[in-house]
Amino acid sequence: MAFVITSPCKVEKAGECVEVCPVDCIEEGKDMFYIDPDICIDCGACEAVCPVEAIFMEDEVPDNEHEYIALNRRFFEEK
């Protein structure tokens, strides 16, 4: 299980999450940031600092944001 960044990041794209991640698993995409599920250690540091509350544990992503789970995985698969 990893954390997932959802749609509020597209509006804000603040980046505090990148600064606090101890394993550097967050990468910047064109429109938002993404968390590499293979590297994420589920520490929650990113979730705590997100100013727009865009970061959720995968199993806690709101129903209307579920598409971001697949978008996040696809971002790293296409690299």
Side-chain angles (χ1 to χ4, degrees):
M1 190 78 48
F3 281 86
V4 175
I5 300 176
T6 59
S7 67
C9 184
K10 287 183 137 183
V11 176
E12 181 67 26
K13 199 176 179 186
E16 285 94 332
C17 55
V18 176
E19 297 170 16
V20 300
C21 181
V23 293
D24 297 324
C25 71
I26 303 172
E27 293 188 26
E28 185 172 3
K30 180 181 175 188
D31 298 328
M32 59 183 283
F33 289 96
Y34 297 89
I35 298 174
D36 189 330
D38 294 329
I39 299 174
C40 180
I41 60 171
D42 304 332
C43 70
C46 58
E47 181 183 33
V49 299
C50 182
V52 292
E53 299 178 359
I55 303 174
F56 298 89
M57 283 295 293
E58 185 174 336
D59 63 351
E60 296 176 1
V61 172
D63 290 342
N64 64 328
E65 298 283 331
H66 272 204
E67 68 186 275
Y68 286 89
I69 297 170
L71 287 173
N72 187 75
R73 290 191 185 279
R74 192 167 33 247
F75 177 81
F76 291 99
E77 289 170 357
E78 293 176 354
K79 288 188 82 183

